[in-house]
Amino acid sequence: MGLELLFPIRPDEGSSTLRKTPRCQAAWTPQREPREARTTNSVDSDELLCPRSAAQSRRTSRERAPAAAPPTSQARGGPERAPIGCSAAALAKADIISTVEFNYNGDLLATGDKGGRVVIFQREQENKSRPHTRGEYNVYSTFQSHEPEFDYLKSLEIEEKINKIKWLPQQNAAHFLLSTNDKTIKLWKISERDKRAEGYNLKDEDGRLRDPFRITALRVPILKPMDLMVEASPRRIFANAHTYHINSISVNSDHETYLSADDLRINLWHLEITGRSFNIVDIKPANMEELTEVITASEFHPHHCNVFVYSSSRGSVRLCDMRAAALCDQHAKLFEEPEDPSSRSFFSEIISSISDVSFSHSGRYMMTRDYLSVKVWDLHMESRPVETYQVHEYLRGKLCSLYENDCIFDKFECCWSGDDSAIMTGSYNNFFRMFERTTLRDVTLEASRENSKPRALLKPRKVCTGGKRKRDEISVDSLDFSSKILHTSWHPADDIVAVAATNNLYIFQDKVH
């Protein structure tokens, strides 16, 4: 499996608009205006009771309140040139990518970051004079999805970080996507406008109202061409339904409803109704001291609108059927692998926590990601996974140090190829792993600035766990745990993948012969 880099994308220092450099050195460099420092001293009592360890509690994100975002627009064409280069000290936390998602046909790629911004990239159409441009993605639109807010009732700050982005199937010329932070989900419409109306009767061309008594003739407004504008406007805001932090959203196959999940509850929404949602899963006990697990991820089945799954921090996945009951407290199936007592340790419960769950496109299989491995389950067999792939087993001996620096609580995502024949997930040192299910071959690749020349072929990397290290290998003691790939996405039809490495977005495709 040979992958070549299309180009890297890096938010960095620069202007307030996205700037694009020449194709051989593509990089985007936004900068935000400084915000006032915000502090919070109070903690919600419910959050204190949420079942997290002492180390996990240090990583608990701050709560946020719902906020509406004004419509924004971006003119396409005529980007300014910007220099490449950024020191590590200049890396802004707000520019760290927090989610990556292709749309249903793969022509658009959306990213969200910790600053609450959504950036959308559009795939270039095929050009006979430039055959290699097909597959390249350029900036299409960028807008501020969420703003930082403050919950005055609980004295808690609500961050603007985008937790998840999910595209809706395209029904007309416009595109729609759902974006969420910890508390508020928004439905955005992304549309193009290349004409403007002129010749109004009640206002001048500059927008000022005219004196009605001076209007002597009736004019018919006409449409005139203009520079193409891409507008993003919030069409729905779904708020005030989650006490805990939202970790998942999933659009149903009926294209009318979607679910949102937090630590203890899952809600079902209709896309046209913002003021009401239905609680379909609630695992919160009457006494919070009896709580033993939390919900970590949830997803709808790709074909059956009544079926969904949710994973837990104890390593189990429950499949629920909404036809059985309105409140799906009783699962239809439980997928859980028995633990080997001989291998149990202090870290067993932490590393068994599932960070992501994803159905295959066919709907026959389901993939889960825990800290050290990826497992593929057949929905017809609950007792054990049909496939298990070790992602970074060489870290098992370093769990103590990973616990001390909180890396053991990192949440890695996983994704399927378009034909379900391969899977991909991230690791440390900006490594990402790809596994072919039929041949059982696997490869470790690195997304880095050093080998970021466009069309450069990626070389497989190997980690040396002990003994004499070969020239092309890297020692496990030399891995950079601050450089990690948590978020990945695979094109639904082609062999094109997008991986987010801190504040860099890399897009790779299978080698073109």
Side-chain angles (χ1 to χ4, degrees):
M1 182 183 296
L3 286 183
E4 61 180 9
L5 177 68
L6 290 180
F7 52 83
I9 300 165
R10 178 183 60 184
D12 202 347
E13 290 184 328
S15 71
S16 59
T17 59
L18 290 176
R19 296 180 174 180
K20 187 181 66 176
T21 58
R23 188 173 68 87
C24 293
Q25 301 176 344
W28 282 263
T29 61
Q31 177 181 343
R32 296 174 177 77
E33 295 183 3
R35 297 192 178 100
E36 296 180 0
R38 304 179 300 274
T39 59
T40 180
N41 300 318
S42 303
V43 180
D44 182 20
S45 59
D46 274 350
E47 290 294 330
L48 289 175
L49 294 174
C50 196
R52 292 185 172 93
S53 65
Q56 281 175 303
S57 64
R58 296 198 301 268
R59 295 167 54 89
T60 302
S61 58
R62 294 164 291 184
E63 292 205 351
R64 315 175 246 174
T72 59
S73 63
Q74 176 197 9
R76 299 186 64 198
E80 299 178 4
R81 304 293 184 184
I84 299 177
C86 174
S87 64
L91 171 60
K93 179 183 176 182
D95 290 331
I96 296 176
I97 299 173
S98 55
T99 184
V100 180
E101 188 77 15
F102 280 103
N103 72 338
Y104 275 76
N105 61 13
D107 287 341
L108 296 178
L109 172 65
T111 66
D113 59 29
K114 290 189 175 182
R117 186 186 56 171
V118 173
V119 181
I120 301 175
F121 301 90
Q122 184 182 49
R123 191 179 189 184
E124 289 292 328
Q125 298 301 316
E126 190 169 0
N127 190 334
K128 292 183 179 180
S129 61
R130 299 175 60 199
H132 290 294
T133 58
R134 176 61 175 169
E136 292 187 358
Y137 286 79
N138 291 321
V139 175
Y140 179 66
S141 176
T142 176
F143 58 92
Q144 190 70 27
S145 175
H146 289 74
E147 295 283 355
E149 296 291 333
F150 194 82
D151 188 339
Y152 293 97
L153 295 178
K154 297 180 179 179
S155 295
L156 287 172
E157 185 186 30
I158 301 175
E159 289 181 329
E160 63 270 34
K161 173 193 169 187
I162 305 297
N163 291 340
K164 291 291 181 180
I165 291 176
K166 291 296 180 182
W167 289 92
L168 274 64
Q170 188 175 5
Q171 305 292 341
N172 49 42
H175 299 273
F176 291 85
L177 62 82
L178 290 168
S179 64
T180 181
N181 63 357
D182 283 344
K183 296 294 182 182
T184 306
I185 306 164
K186 296 183 181 182
L187 174 64
W188 289 88
K189 178 184 178 181
I190 296 92
S191 57
E192 296 181 352
R193 183 158 59 96
D194 58 0
K195 294 181 176 63
R196 69 174 182 270
E198 292 185 358
Y200 288 104
N201 290 280
L202 298 179
K203 62 181 180 180
D204 295 325
E205 301 302 331
D206 56 1
R208 292 182 298 177
L209 293 177
R210 299 176 62 188
D211 186 356
F213 296 101
R214 294 185 178 181
I215 299 176
T216 58
L218 181 64
R219 296 187 297 179
V220 178
I222 59 174
L223 294 177
K224 289 189 175 181
M226 57 175 285
D227 292 337
L228 181 63
M229 299 287 292
V230 179
E231 294 182 330
S233 57
R235 304 308 298 268
R236 304 279 189 277
I237 298 179
F238 308 88
N240 304 323
H242 285 277
T243 304
Y244 305 97
H245 295 171
I246 299 173
N247 54 49
S248 301
I249 53 176
S250 178
V251 180
N252 201 346
S253 59
D254 61 12
H255 304 160
E256 294 182 354
T257 58
Y258 73 95
L259 64 78
S260 58
D262 63 23
D263 289 341
L264 299 179
R265 298 184 181 93
I266 299 177
N267 293 333
L268 179 68
W269 299 84
H270 194 283
L271 287 168
E272 298 294 330
I273 303 174
T274 60
R276 182 174 68 252
S277 64
F278 298 94
N279 181 231
I280 54 177
V281 172
D282 189 349
I283 65 171
K284 182 179 179 180
N287 182 3
M288 286 292 287
E289 294 181 355
E290 299 175 359
L291 187 63
T292 58
E293 61 181 346
V294 295
I295 299 170
T296 57
S298 183
E299 185 174 72
F300 266 121
H301 192 278
H303 306 304
H304 302 300
C305 62
N306 55 287
V307 175
F308 69 95
V309 296
Y310 67 93
S311 58
S312 79
S313 57
R314 299 192 67 178
S316 61
V317 179
R318 292 171 173 84
L319 184 144
C320 300
D321 190 339
M322 292 190 293
R323 296 173 299 180
L327 186 62
C328 301
D329 286 341
Q330 300 298 322
H331 53 267
K333 291 186 177 182
L334 175 64
F335 300 88
E336 187 173 23
E337 187 176 21
E339 183 183 8
D340 184 5
S342 62
S343 62
R344 181 167 180 80
S345 68
F346 171 79
F347 306 105
S348 295
E349 184 175 341
I350 301 176
I351 63 176
S352 66
S353 176
I354 295 176
S355 58
D356 193 20
V357 59
S358 176
F359 281 108
S360 63
H361 295 86
S362 66
R364 172 67 184 273
Y365 299 98
M366 174 181 64
M367 175 170 52
T368 61
R369 171 69 204 265
D370 56 41
Y371 188 68
L372 294 179
S373 64
V374 172
K375 298 174 182 177
V376 176
W377 302 78
D378 189 326
L379 295 186
H380 297 165
M381 186 171 70
E382 309 169 46
S383 58
R384 58 184 176 84
V386 293
E387 303 165 24
T388 301
Y389 303 97
Q390 301 299 331
V391 179
H392 38 219
E393 183 65 20
Y394 46 80
L395 296 181
R396 187 175 292 273
K398 292 186 169 295
L399 294 179
C400 185
S401 58
L402 292 170
Y403 179 82
E404 290 297 326
N405 61 18
D406 284 351
C407 286
I408 199 171
F409 302 110
D410 287 332
K411 306 299 182 185
F412 292 94
E413 297 176 0
C414 53
C415 58
W416 297 85
S417 63
D419 58 0
D420 297 334
S421 64
I423 58 180
M424 177 177 65
T425 189
S427 182
Y428 294 104
N429 207 74
N430 280 353
F431 288 167
F432 61 99
R433 302 269 283 148
M434 306 182 77
F435 304 91
E436 292 186 357
R437 299 178 59 207
T438 54
T439 62
L440 299 182
R441 293 188 303 172
D442 66 274
V443 63
T444 301
L445 301 172
E446 182 181 7
S448 67
R449 302 293 296 184
E450 285 71 23
N451 54 7
S452 60
K453 293 182 179 180
R455 304 295 170 182
L457 187 64
L458 296 187
K459 296 181 179 179
R461 302 299 305 270
K462 291 185 179 181
V463 178
C464 176
T465 57
K468 188 176 180 180
R469 181 173 63 89
K470 297 180 181 179
R471 186 182 64 176
D472 296 334
E473 293 181 341
I474 181 172
S475 172
V476 66
D477 297 322
S478 302
L479 295 177
D480 182 5
F481 292 105
S482 63
S483 301
K484 62 194 78 171
I485 293 178
L486 302 177
H487 312 288
T488 60
S489 186
W490 203 310
H491 192 284
D494 298 336
D495 286 332
I496 297 177
V497 298
V499 297
T502 316
N503 68 324
N504 297 277
L505 174 66
Y506 295 89
I507 302 176
F508 302 95
Q509 72 172 4
D510 199 7
K511 183 179 178 181
V512 178
H513 298 284

